[in-house]
Amino acid sequence: MTQITPWSDGRAAGPSAPRRPLVELVDVNKHFGAFQALTDITLTIPERQVAIVIGPSGSGKSTLCRTINRLETIDDGGRISIDGTVLPEEGKALAALRADVGMVFQSFNLFAHKSVLENVTVGPIKVRGVKKAQAVKEAMTLLERVGVAEQAKKLPAELSGGQQQRVAIARALAMRPKVMLFDEPTSALDPEMVQEVLDVMVQLAEEGMTMLVVTHEMGFARQAGDRVIFMDEGRVLEDTDPESFFTDPQHDRAKSFLGKILAH
């Protein structure tokens, strides 16, 4: 696959470069009516870190992910910043900041009536103002990178689920985001398609893309993660490195979760 380093816009990339905070959440709470989905979340994700968010269903993982680009609003008093800029509530400033945050969903959310190539080029052209010829060139490089360049002229419905998800990753990367959010990107895939998507994500991690990944794929968490954030009932219960979490979890809820999920 062709490699495009995520810092090709001039951002520092060397291992000795200081890692500035790219995503900061401070006292983030989220209610859906009387239900509190997130409680007092304070996290900092520095550049080039791969943070894995795991936990049981309903623990707030996806809600956390969706608040980072304002797909879900947060309660008053909390704050989320992207590369030092606080997320505004609405308007052009929010749209501009969202362009720096790539997101890949459980369901691929591709435009069904547009070709694969059009799906990848529409954002850079409409939002970033990239010329069409340049957008097409970069899109084809990205599609090659994720292994689906030969599908460029097809509609999403003509692709397998794994291929569609790889297109979705290419579409997000086409915006040259500072951080990538993955909300259970393999959960809607047939088992044989999961690895082809995880392989792309591992490559991104190795190249230094800042990533927050909500997943149940424990092998990926151990292989590609720099950090594991374990959530339950809307709270962060553990926040540590993968080896420590998987070999010596500190919280009883984490021990119970791992006991169940690793037994399968």
Side-chain angles (χ1 to χ4, degrees), residues 166-183:
R166 284 184 282 159
V167 172
I169 293 173
R171 180 181 61 179
L173 291 173
M175 296 295 288
R176 295 193 172 272
K178 295 178 180 179
V179 59
M180 287 280 287
L181 309 176
F182 293 86
D183 185 10

Side-chain angles (χ1 to χ4, degrees), residues 61-130:
K61 306 183 301 297
S62 291
T63 301
L64 173 69
C65 197
R66 292 169 64 85
T67 62
I68 294 175
N69 66 352
R70 283 285 191 201
L71 288 176
E72 297 288 357
T73 58
I74 62 174
D75 298 348
D76 292 342
R79 174 171 57 83
I80 299 176
S81 301
I82 305 296
D83 201 11
T85 301
V86 176
L87 273 176
E89 292 189 10
E90 57 186 15
K92 291 183 178 180
L94 175 59
L97 208 57
R98 270 184 175 157
D100 289 333
V101 182
M103 187 153 185
V104 178
F105 301 86
Q106 299 177 39
S107 52
F108 324 119
N109 288 11
L110 298 174
F111 296 114
H113 63 290
K114 293 183 180 293
S115 70
V116 164
L117 181 60
E118 290 170 332
N119 265 278
V120 179
T121 58
V122 64
I125 293 171
K126 297 289 188 181
V127 179
R128 294 288 196 193
V130 177

Side-chain angles (χ1 to χ4, degrees), residues 26-30 36 38-43 234-236:
V26 179
D27 296 331
V28 169
N29 291 273
K30 172 64 180 178
Q36 186 158 3
L38 297 176
T39 302
D40 299 332
I41 303 293
T42 295
L43 294 169
R235 297 179 182 271
V236 173

Side-chain angles (χ1 to χ4, degrees), residues 3-246:
Q3 177 172 333
I4 300 177
T5 53
W7 43 77
S8 55
D9 60 357
R11 297 195 289 275
S16 61
R19 295 194 175 194
R20 72 187 190 280
L22 268 188
V23 180
E24 294 181 281
L25 296 88
V26 179
D27 296 331
V28 169
N29 291 273
K30 172 64 180 178
H31 284 82
F32 293 103
F35 174 70
Q36 186 158 3
L38 297 176
T39 302
D40 299 332
I41 303 293
T42 295
L43 294 169
T44 298
I45 302 171
E47 62 180 336
R48 304 194 305 281
Q49 183 178 83
V50 180
I52 309 293
V53 183
I54 64 177
S57 296
S59 60
K61 306 183 301 297
S62 291
T63 301
L64 173 69
C65 197
R66 292 169 64 85
T67 62
I68 294 175
N69 66 352
R70 283 285 191 201
L71 288 176
E72 297 288 357
T73 58
I74 62 174
D75 298 348
D76 292 342
R79 174 171 57 83
I80 299 176
S81 301
I82 305 296
D83 201 11
T85 301
V86 176
L87 273 176
E89 292 189 10
E90 57 186 15
K92 291 183 178 180
L94 175 59
L97 208 57
R98 270 184 175 157
D100 289 333
V101 182
M103 187 153 185
V104 178
F105 301 86
Q106 299 177 39
S107 52
F108 324 119
N109 288 11
L110 298 174
F111 296 114
H113 63 290
K114 293 183 180 293
S115 70
V116 164
L117 181 60
E118 290 170 332
N119 265 278
V120 179
T121 58
V122 64
I125 293 171
K126 297 289 188 181
V127 179
R128 294 288 196 193
V130 177
K131 298 294 185 183
K132 183 177 180 179
Q134 181 64 23
V136 168
K137 179 181 177 181
E138 292 183 5
M140 288 305 300
T141 301
L142 286 168
L143 291 171
E144 177 68 31
R145 176 186 184 184
V146 300
V148 291
E150 70 281 2
Q151 313 294 341
K153 295 182 180 180
K154 294 183 178 179
L155 293 174
E158 300 177 83
L159 275 58
S160 70
Q163 289 172 327
Q164 289 187 61
Q165 194 62 295
R166 284 184 282 159
V167 172
I169 293 173
R171 180 181 61 179
L173 291 173
M175 296 295 288
R176 295 193 172 272
K178 295 178 180 179
V179 59
M180 287 280 287
L181 309 176
F182 293 86
D183 185 10
E184 300 199 27
T186 60
S187 65
L189 300 178
D190 292 334
E192 66 269 20
M193 298 178 185
V194 168
Q195 193 58 49
E196 64 189 52
V197 173
L198 293 179
D199 286 344
V200 173
M201 294 170 63
V202 168
Q203 182 192 16
L204 285 177
E206 291 173 346
E207 292 171 9
M209 174 61 76
T210 308
M211 298 162 62
L212 185 141
V213 184
V214 176
T215 185
H216 289 294
E217 299 292 338
M218 298 299 105
F220 172 81
R222 297 189 80 155
Q223 177 186 2
D226 298 309
R227 172 185 186 184
V228 169
I229 298 165
F230 176 76
M231 295 184 66
D232 188 42
E233 296 184 342
R235 297 179 182 271
V236 173
L237 299 187
E238 298 208 22
D239 184 354
T240 187
D241 64 277
E243 186 64 21
S244 296
F245 179 76
F246 284 106

